[in-house]
Amino acid sequence: MAMVEAAFEAINLETHLGAYPRLGVVDEILFHPLPNAQLHHAAMLAKAVALDVATKFQVPVYLYGAAHPTGKAIDIIRRELGYYTSNSPGNQWAGWTIPEVLPLKPNEGPISMSKDKGISMIGARPWIDLYNVPIMTTDVFVAQKIAKMVSEKGGGLPTVQTLGLIHGEHYAEITCMLLEPNKIGADQVQNLVEILGAQEGLQVKKGYYTDFSAEEIVEKYINIISTKKDSTQHNRVVKQRSRL
């Protein structure tokens, strides 16, 4: 909630211009179950946060995945709200992109929104990997063509969702969501993008993950907890010695 509040204080969606789709300042919050946690635990947390965000900040919130009553996928909600359609030259997204009276009723919060905040989407689902592959072109249509051919929807790799976006002034990126990374991973995505890029006469750079892996996150969490326990034990010893 502190992160959400800081974002709303720092960013005005009306004056925001970028090459990446978004419908809100806090566009998406996603909860994943890790190690022994279950998906319904993540869904309960997502729904609790959604209610808090909607109530405190008066922002329409759409639930998705396991947090949604019927398990509705985020890409379906995004299509219904016009997320994938740019509204500014150069394949850019400028300001607020849909009517103030929302075409789709949110799960929490008001049915109208303020243009400076937009909406939020909050959900829960099993772990996904986010992997981006740079391609050396500024032709967004070529990037979108390659992205479509990589995605499951376009007849490419199963469980892979993609977008082709301009990244900076000199190249584009194929942004990939790997819904089941244990089945279809980054290596397969990288290989297919390189093949398709070569067919277009384009150089393809090595891709990168946009976040830590699930294993790295768990390891960092364990390290934090261990450090806190060591600190607590040390403080207890110091207090005991001071009493003696």
Side-chain angles (χ1 to χ4, degrees), residues 64-135:
Y64 70 91
H68 189 275
T70 63
K72 194 171 185 178
I74 189 172
D75 59 311
I76 295 175
I77 297 172
R78 283 173 165 171
R79 286 192 182 90
E80 291 172 339
L81 294 175
Y83 174 90
Y84 298 104
T85 304
S86 63
N87 66 340
S88 186
N91 201 48
Q92 300 278 306
W93 280 259
W96 176 242
T97 61
I98 61 176
E100 289 184 55
V101 178
L102 298 166
L104 180 65
K105 184 180 178 181
N107 299 96
E108 301 288 354
I111 58 172
S112 60
M113 41 61 63
S114 60
K115 292 183 178 180
D116 60 331
K117 294 178 182 175
I119 62 121
S120 292
M121 292 168 281
I122 300 179
R125 59 154 295 120
W127 179 261
I128 60 176
D129 276 341
L130 302 176
Y131 186 76
N132 294 352
V133 185
I135 56 174

Side-chain angles (χ1 to χ4, degrees), residues 146-162 192:
I146 293 174
K148 184 176 181 180
M149 295 173 72
V150 173
S151 72
E152 179 176 29
K153 187 177 180 182
L157 298 171
T159 72
V160 174
Q161 296 179 355
T162 61
L192 182 53

Side-chain angles (χ1 to χ4, degrees), residues 157-170:
L157 298 171
T159 72
V160 174
Q161 296 179 355
T162 61
L163 283 174
L165 301 171
I166 297 299
H167 192 92
E169 298 181 358
H170 305 295

